[in-house]
Amino acid sequence: MAFKRIRDMFVASINEGLDKIENPRVMLNQYVRDMENDISKAKHTIVKQQTIAQSFKGKHEEADKLAAKRKNQAQLAFDAGEEELSKKALSEMKYFEQKAREYKEAYEHAHKQLAELKEQLQTLEVKLRDVKDRKHALIARANAVKAKEHMNASFNKIDSESAYREFMRMENRIEEMEARVNSYAELSASSGSPYSRVEYAKEVEEELEKMRAKKVGLEKQPAAGNE
């Protein structure tokens, strides 16, 4: 009985675990789809980040060119004696130089984030391949667990004590049958064949004498014919 209680507790714990798993195939396929969606979102984010990085790069290059252009204009104005115009050009040069630095920093930051996103994407893709490779094996293992659980549940319905009693009863019946068969065989062996009974011995001997006499008579007939 103690074994039965332990077995019941063990089966119950397995049932609880399987209830949480629900349908392994459905759940694992859902996990794969979730990861594929994450990868799709990551790729979309990378495309946007690439666009942002390229935009900052373009703005940096444009501001750098404008700063160089204003510097050249300031020099030309100064050489022409137009200091006010030169000062204005220099002021704009400083503005574009500042913008160029800001866009450069923004580009470098965006480029760094882009590299991190690409690395994360590669990690996700590796994990997805691993999950797909292991999915079928996990489904097979889960199905095996469920099949074994069903077998255990069926086994749990059997009363081991009553089964043992029935087994012992059948063994006793077989032993009784064997005893009856052996007793009958011994009785038959001791009684002997009905055709070999002692009271027939004299009559059998007489019949043999008749057969011998007849044989002797037959052997003498050819000799008498020759005479």
Side-chain angles (χ1 to χ4, degrees):
M1 296 301 291
F3 170 75
K4 186 175 185 299
R5 286 197 298 271
I6 294 173
R7 186 185 63 202
D8 291 344
M9 293 173 61
F10 179 71
V11 171
S13 65
I14 293 178
N15 287 335
E16 182 180 359
L18 290 172
D19 289 340
K20 292 179 180 178
I21 293 176
E22 296 296 336
N23 190 326
R25 182 184 298 276
V26 173
M27 297 301 292
L28 290 172
N29 286 335
Q30 183 60 49
Y31 296 151
V32 170
R33 285 193 294 270
D34 290 344
M35 292 185 70
E36 288 174 339
N37 289 335
D38 290 340
I39 288 175
S40 178
K41 291 177 182 178
K43 288 181 177 179
H44 183 67
T45 302
I46 286 174
V47 171
K48 289 177 63 176
Q49 192 67 21
Q50 284 177 330
T51 302
I52 293 172
Q54 287 300 117
S55 175
F56 284 136
K57 183 180 180 181
K59 289 180 178 180
H60 161 67
E61 292 174 350
E62 182 66 21
D64 205 32
K65 289 179 181 178
L66 288 173
K69 183 178 180 179
R70 292 295 184 268
K71 182 178 181 179
N72 185 54
Q73 289 173 343
Q75 185 64 49
L76 291 174
F78 180 79
D79 292 342
E82 299 288 341
E83 290 190 7
E84 289 298 323
L85 187 60
S86 178
K87 287 172 62 177
K88 182 179 179 181
L90 288 172
S91 178
E92 291 182 3
M93 179 194 73
K94 291 297 181 180
Y95 170 79
F96 287 122
E97 284 179 347
Q98 177 64 29
K99 286 298 179 183
R101 287 192 295 270
E102 291 176 359
Y103 289 139
K104 182 180 180 181
E105 290 177 1
Y107 166 72
E108 290 175 348
H109 181 68
H111 186 72
K112 182 180 179 181
Q113 287 184 327
L114 180 61
E116 291 174 354
L117 287 171
K118 287 182 177 180
E119 185 177 351
Q120 291 174 3
L121 175 61
Q122 290 179 349
T123 301
L124 283 174
E125 289 175 336
V126 170
K127 288 182 178 180
L128 178 60
R129 286 194 296 270
D130 180 58
V131 166
K132 285 184 175 181
D133 290 341
R134 295 167 59 189
K135 181 184 71 174
H136 298 295
L138 288 173
I139 290 174
R141 287 167 59 187
N143 289 338
V145 171
K146 290 183 73 68
K148 190 172 182 180
E149 183 273 333
H150 289 312
M151 291 178 63
N152 289 338
S154 299
F155 177 74
N156 191 44
K157 295 177 182 178
I158 300 174
D159 186 347
S160 59
E161 294 297 328
S162 63
Y164 181 76
R165 287 194 298 270
E166 289 298 320
F167 178 86
M168 295 301 296
R169 186 175 65 83
M170 181 58 67
E171 183 179 27
N172 291 334
R173 288 183 59 188
I174 292 172
E175 289 177 351
E176 291 174 1
M177 293 171 63
E178 289 175 340
R180 286 198 297 270
V181 170
N182 291 335
S183 297
Y184 179 77
E186 292 174 0
L187 179 61
S188 298
S190 62
S191 61
S193 173
Y195 303 109
S196 61
R197 294 174 60 178
V198 177
E199 56 263 34
Y200 296 143
K202 183 178 180 180
E203 296 178 9
V204 169
E205 189 62 32
E206 290 176 354
E207 291 295 328
L208 282 174
E209 286 298 329
K210 290 179 182 180
M211 293 173 68
R212 292 189 188 104
K214 185 177 180 180
K215 180 179 180 182
V216 171
L218 291 173
E219 290 176 349
K220 290 181 178 181
Q221 285 180 1
N226 292 333
E227 292 177 355

